[in-house]
Each structure stands twice: as C-alpha cells, then as structure tokens.
Amino acid sequence: MRKAQTLAEAAESPTSTRDRILDAAARIFRDKGYADSTMNDLASALNMKAASIYYHFKSKDEIVEQVLNEGTARVFRSVKCAIAQLPDDVNAKVKIGVAIREHLHVLHSDSDYTAANVRIFPEAPTDVVKRHMFERRLYSKFWVELIELGKKAGEIDQSVDAEMAHMFIVGAMNWSTQWYSPKIHNIEDMSDAVDSLVSKGLFTSGP
Amino acid sequence: MRKAQTLAEAAESPTSTRDRILDAAARIFRDKGYADSTMNDLASALNMKAASIYYHFKSKDEIVEQVLNEGTARVFRSVKCAIAQLPDDVNAKVKIGVAIREHLHVLHSDSDYTAANVRIFPEAPTDVVKRHMFERRLYSKFWVELIELGKKAGEIDQSVDAEMAHMFIVGAMNWSTQWYSPKIHNIEDMSDAVDSLVSKGLFTSGP
DNA sequence: GTCTATACTTCGATAGAC
DNA sequence: GTCTATCGAAGTATAGAC
C-alpha cells in the first residue's frame, strides 16, 4: 500500500506487513491474473508461509478487493492532482491531454495496483466487483465531466456521446497493458499517439 | 464451430458433437472467463456428463485453443470479406470505417468465439497463447496495412505509428466487451463513435 | 458415445504449537 | 506473528461398464 501513515509508523517501520502483502499481491496479480495467483505465491514472494497471511487478511477475496480499490484510487488521485496543478484558464483539450499522459504513466510505470486492477477486474468475485464499482464510477464521472466541459466550451461537438467517448479513450489505454513492453515502446510516444488520436483523429482533414 | 462441412455432414447432422461442445465453450468462456468455467459447466449446458467431453477432446486446454483460434479467425474473415466487397477505388478512410463496423458487429452480435477470445486471452495457458499468437499477428498485420495504405495515399500523416495506432483502435473496441450492454447501447452508435474518433478526433479543429 | 465411479492434484482456509 | 500439519472443497482427468 505505502500510503499515508502516522509519524510513529513512518519512523519505526517503513511499511506494515499488511501493506507488504498488498504490494506483493498487486505485483503478482498484475503478472499472473487472479485465479493463477495462489496464497502460496504471495507468501513466497515475502519469505513467508501461506498460513501467515491469514493473520492479516481473512481471505483471498479481502486482498483482491483492497488491490482493486487501491488501483482505481491511485490513478484517479494522480490524474485529478495533475489537472489541478494546471492554470485555471487552460482549455479542455489541454486537460484531457494531461489526463491521458497521467493515466498511462500511472498504469505502466507508477502503480502495480492500477495495472493489476485492469487485469483482474473481469475475474474478480461478483460481490467484490459490485462494491468496487463505486470507485470506478467516480473515476468515470471525472472523465465524462472533462468531455462535457469541452462540449460546453464549444471545443467538442455537441453530437459527441461523452459516456461512450470516455469508455473508448480509457479502454484504448487500458488495453495497452496487453501489448506494452518497456523494451519496445515508451510511455511518451504512447501518450502522444493517444493524445493525437483524440485531438485530431488519424486522418488529415486539410487539403 | 459451425463452419464449412461436407455435404453429407450437412445433410444428416447439422453440427457434430465436437462442434456443439465448442459452441457451448465459447459462450460459457465469454460469460465466466476461463478459470471459472469448469468441464462440468460445459457438460451441463449440453445435457452431458463432464467425462463424456474427454471422448471428443483430450483436455480443457485443447478446447480453449480451438476457441481462441476460431475467435480470431472469425473476426478476421468477416472484416477481410467486408472490405473485399467494396469497390476498388474507395480510400483508406472508408475501408477503416468498414473494418471498425465489422469488428464491433462480430464481437458483439455475431460470434461468441471472438468475444470469448478477447476475454480469455490473458488467462489462457502459456503454450496455448504462444501458438495462438500466429493467428493474432495475421489479423494485426491486416490492420497495420490498412493504416499504411492511408499513409501512402496521403490521407494519414507520415508521423503516425501504424503499429501503435492499430493497437489503440482495436483495443478501444475490444475493451467495449467490458461495458457494452445491448439494453443500453447499440452497435451502430458505437461504430459511429469509433469511426468519428478515428476520422477526426474529439475536437473540432475548425472555427 | 455416454455413463458411473473414482483417482489425483491443487488450493483456500483452519487448528494449534511456538 | 509465524510456523507445521491438515482438513475439505473443487476440479481435471482416467478406468471401465453399458
């Protein structure tokens, strides 16, 4: 997890065992998916035995729920923060460009939680997914509002369905977890490609 | 499966048991993913017992490999065929629009195999995936060539990375398996949205 | 070709010692 | 808090009758 801690915790123990388990789970879920990651896999990565994990979590489902929620929370927090730091008068086009860059950056080089979230979401237990949808809806709402902002300002055509458009944009980026390789691609180029596609499409309209 | 059969087969038995198993597998894999679909689930859907399946297939892996390959083959065949039926002189923009429409149509209303393919690809066994990549690369190559065609004709800017662009476009569409609901959305609107995004982006360049 | 019965394995989870 | 030992539930796959 490695999020905000009390000063005392930060002083003596850099991360709690609970958080170390979650960190390992996020990385392993990202790499192998949910079903193929066993409690023993998590324990081995931490030089522990599987039974010890049950002192910190009551079930595998509790772990996956934490990883899912933290994954969405992290990308949302980073994107929100990046946009908040822009001058007040920037237009929707710039804001969406920043959101694209930040989303891809968190997904591929900042947070195992977000990458794990994208991978394990479809195979997570039904009741876990049900509760997790609350977090996802908040993040979706943020994107939809960015697009609506552009529509109000006349930057984006009124005929654009903001719900759908945001799904295609975020989906295109999330799908990159299936093909992105740091040895072949780099995040800057990917960001430019998505930003350009969203800004002006693939085709040159000019003469 | 339900693909081409000999005349004799078509006459007396509309589909072989082997193909009925594959059809059921495609639908169940699409709905529940690979790990959560048991041999018993497949058998139940066909009013059979799990053991009977092993007369037709030697393992669950053999089934998933067939479903994966057939999934890519079907969408590829349909898209290729749709474009082949266009007049010779249509430009890349029209061709890509047709490819988008056909891909979404196959994915959401034509083939459980293609939808299953998109869902179970990340959790399929490593050696199965390895062999399946051959099919995927053929389909990818087709999309990349469509984009290169547009670049050669001057319709698409030379700076566009065709490999990446095709991944983002196909990825945006494939991701829709995670949110598309026939009760809320319709495939025509989705096709229009993707086509518009690819053609001219989200933002109005003009005055 | 399909069945019943069952072998074999893996994995989540618990009990209880240390 | 972590360990060893083990239970119990699934689930893949096989053996052999019909």
Side-chain angles (χ1 to χ4, degrees), chain B residues 49 51-52 55-56:
Chain B
K49 301 295 171 181
S52 308
Y55 176 82
H56 305 276

Side-chain angles (χ1 to χ4, degrees), chain B residues 62-118:
Chain B
E62 191 188 331
I63 297 178
V64 80
E65 182 157 359
Q66 283 285 330
V67 171
L68 275 181
N69 288 340
E70 186 69 18
T72 299
R74 284 187 187 206
V75 69
F76 189 12
R77 195 187 315 141
S78 295
V79 168
K80 207 164 32 180
C81 178
I83 287 179
Q85 282 166 356
L86 295 171
D88 289 348
D89 60 342
V90 298
N91 58 21
K93 192 172 191 168
V94 171
K95 284 184 181 170
I96 289 175
V98 167
I100 286 169
R101 257 154 247 282
E102 196 62 24
H103 184 100
L104 282 172
H105 184 262
V106 172
L107 191 59
H108 291 304
S109 83
D110 213 56
S111 170
D112 295 343
Y113 288 84
T114 303
N117 176 299
V118 167

Side-chain angles (χ1 to χ4, degrees), chain A:
Chain A
M1 290 263 294
R2 283 191 196 111
K3 61 173 163 182
Q5 302 171 323
T6 66
L7 287 177
E9 276 171 339
E12 45 187 277
S13 110
T15 46
S16 67
T17 304
R18 191 183 158 93
D19 286 352
R20 286 175 53 240
I21 294 170
L22 288 172
D23 283 350
R27 185 173 44 76
I28 295 169
F29 288 166
R30 178 201 63 187
D31 291 339
K32 314 208 308 176
Y34 181 58
D36 281 352
S37 302
T38 68
M39 294 302 273
N40 196 34
D41 289 336
L42 307 199
S44 296
L46 297 162
N47 285 93
M48 290 175 70
K49 300 295 171 181
S52 308
I53 297 178
Y54 290 90
Y55 176 81
H56 304 276
F57 294 91
K58 75 174 211 303
S59 69
K60 193 184 173 189
D61 282 12
E62 191 188 330
I63 297 178
V64 80
E65 182 158 358
Q66 283 286 329
V67 171
L68 275 181
N69 288 339
E70 187 68 19
T72 299
R74 284 188 186 205
V75 69
F76 189 11
R77 194 188 314 141
S78 294
V79 169
K80 207 163 32 180
C81 178
I83 288 180
Q85 281 166 356
L86 294 171
D88 290 348
D89 60 342
V90 299
N91 58 21
K93 191 171 191 168
V94 172
K95 284 184 182 172
I96 288 174
V98 167
I100 286 168
R101 257 156 247 282
E102 195 62 26
H103 185 100
L104 282 172
H105 184 261
V106 172
L107 190 60
H108 291 304
S109 83
D110 211 58
S111 170
D112 294 343
Y113 288 84
T114 304
N117 176 300
V118 168
R119 166 142 198 188
I120 68 186
F121 179 78
E123 46 171 339
T126 340
D127 54 323
V128 170
V129 169
K130 220 167 181 173
R131 287 190 294 274
H132 172 64
M133 284 313 293
F134 178 77
E135 306 290 332
R136 286 226 164 180
R137 268 189 284 268
L138 290 180
Y139 187 48
S140 274
K141 193 160 169 284
F142 185 84
W143 273 90
V144 170
E145 282 170 358
L146 275 184
I147 296 172
E148 295 289 1
L149 201 71
K151 286 172 71 173
K152 267 170 206 132
E155 297 173 70
I156 297 174
D157 197 273
Q158 294 303 321
S159 66
V160 168
D161 180 330
E163 276 286 348
M164 255 192 201
H166 113 275
M167 284 293 198
F168 284 123
I169 295 168
V170 175
M173 295 193 289
N174 286 349
W175 188 263
S176 69
T177 50
Q178 295 200 21
W179 55 266
Y180 167 75
S181 159
K183 292 177 185 171
I184 302 173
H185 314 97
N186 75 77
I187 300 170
E188 268 312 305
D189 288 348
M190 289 173 60
S191 303
D192 289 346
V194 176
D195 191 33
S196 167
L197 191 62
V198 171
S199 293
K200 52 188 203 307
L202 224 51
F203 292 87
T204 56
S205 51

